[in-house]
Amino acid sequence: MLEANEIVAPIVFAEKWHGGVYSLRGEVRGTCFAIGGDYCLTAGHVVEAVNGCTPDLGPVIAFRSQGRWATAEIQARELLTANVGLVRFAFMESKDMPRPVALPWRLQMVPLLTTVKTIGYPYGLSYADGEARFTTRAFLGHVVSTRVKYKPVGYQGNPFCAYELSYVAPEGLSGAPLLCGDEPTVVIGLIIGNNESKIRVNQSTFIEKESEEKKEKTIVCEHYRYLNLGVAVMSSEIANTRSELLGKSIGEHLKEHGLLEQ
């Protein structure tokens, strides 16, 4: 039986010491998961964070298998469309480490109220007695909406297909797989963040005058209510994305590794 932390892995920055020992620096930058071969998917903005890693540190992935941890260095990365990122890794000191678990994918769009779950490393680094530990967290909910043309605020690319979810995605969960809630577990998307919607519910206007010599100042107070929902890129959108690093589309890569659900 698979454990949760064998399905996903945290991306962190670390300083490498002699003897192959890594010392963590900072928080978990995001979550990633294997797609066969030496490749993992994560969120595009996680790849952007990796690109900004300072020269004295290195971006690494902490994989867990059969009750032990092994560190892999990120050797190449690519920013894809729809805020999706791809990384290629290599185990440096633990070459006997088994291949990370890669789950099958379902490319069909799922209907509203489909039960979904996410596993990752939001706020995933904690300390006890001076020892750093990774904490896996899981979320269970359902699909709230299917957005066939979704474009996050500030995103410069083309709109893409995404799901809105009944739970929010905390910091560090970005890049985690969206999993179908039934068994067997299959990937139906990739978490990239949250969508915030707001409506104005009230507006109040006040006239302020500090003294007779000063002009009156009008102050307008607006009150809003907000809706925050997690967002995941649909698996079909990701599968159709071409990667220069792979030399093929993500879907073609998944097919070669037998990861597309029949």
Side-chain angles (χ1 to χ4, degrees):
M1 181 178 178
L2 284 176
E3 296 182 3
N5 55 18
E6 294 179 329
I7 297 173
V8 292
I11 294 178
V12 294
F13 293 169
E15 181 181 356
K16 188 176 181 179
W17 294 355
H18 294 293
V21 177
Y22 292 84
S23 179
L24 300 181
R25 294 290 183 268
E27 301 297 326
V28 172
R29 304 293 170 160
T31 302
C32 67
F33 62 102
I35 59 169
D38 297 329
Y39 294 92
C40 283
L41 283 179
T42 186
H45 59 272
V46 176
V47 166
E48 290 178 334
V50 168
N51 289 338
C53 183
T54 57
D56 58 318
L57 300 177
V60 299
I61 304 173
F63 288 106
R64 186 169 177 83
S65 178
Q66 301 176 1
R68 62 192 180 101
W69 292 95
T71 303
E73 294 184 353
I74 294 178
Q75 296 192 324
R77 56 266 192 181
E78 182 180 6
L79 183 61
L80 305 174
T81 59
N83 196 7
V84 175
L86 177 72
V87 298
R88 186 179 70 225
F89 63 87
F91 291 108
M92 304 305 293
E93 307 298 335
S94 302
K95 297 184 184 299
D96 61 334
M97 185 73 172
R99 289 290 89 189
V101 175
L103 298 174
W105 284 52
R106 180 177 301 164
L107 302 187
Q108 294 80 9
M109 182 187 298
V110 300
L112 301 185
L113 297 181
T114 296
T115 301
V116 292
K117 55 194 175 186
T118 305
I119 303 168
Y121 290 88
Y123 296 88
L125 194 59
S126 59
Y127 293 87
D129 294 332
E131 182 181 359
R133 292 181 177 273
F134 291 115
T135 300
T136 316
R137 292 187 170 93
F139 300 83
L140 180 67
H142 57 270
V143 173
V144 171
S145 72
T146 52
R147 304 281 296 272
V148 294
K149 280 194 173 183
Y150 176 74
K151 191 170 183 178
V153 175
Y155 180 69
Q156 301 300 315
N158 296 323
F160 51 87
C161 300
Y163 296 114
E164 284 184 328
L165 312 173
S166 60
Y167 49 86
V168 297
E171 190 81 17
L173 190 64
S174 293
L178 180 67
L179 306 172
C180 202
D182 57 3
E183 294 296 338
T185 298
V186 294
V187 178
I188 59 172
L190 182 146
I191 301 293
I192 58 168
N194 300 293
N195 183 51
E196 181 180 87
S197 302
K198 66 178 182 179
I199 57 172
R200 192 177 67 183
V201 295
N202 185 40
Q203 177 175 307
S204 303
T205 303
F206 303 92
I207 305 298
E208 183 181 84
K209 189 174 183 181
E210 295 181 0
S211 65
E212 293 296 331
E213 292 78 17
K214 293 188 177 181
K215 294 182 179 180
E216 293 181 346
K217 181 169 61 176
T218 301
I219 300 174
V220 178
C221 295
E222 296 180 336
H223 302 270
Y224 292 86
R225 288 178 181 165
Y226 294 85
L227 173 66
N228 291 284
L229 300 169
V231 174
V233 184
M234 290 186 189
S235 56
S236 57
E237 181 81 43
I238 301 170
N240 290 329
T241 301
R242 178 172 175 79
S243 163
E244 295 300 324
L245 197 57
L246 294 173
K248 58 179 73 76
S249 71
I250 300 295
E252 290 170 333
H253 175 83
L254 294 171
K255 186 176 181 180
E256 287 180 3
H257 287 80
L259 296 176
L260 291 183
E261 189 180 63
Q262 301 298 318

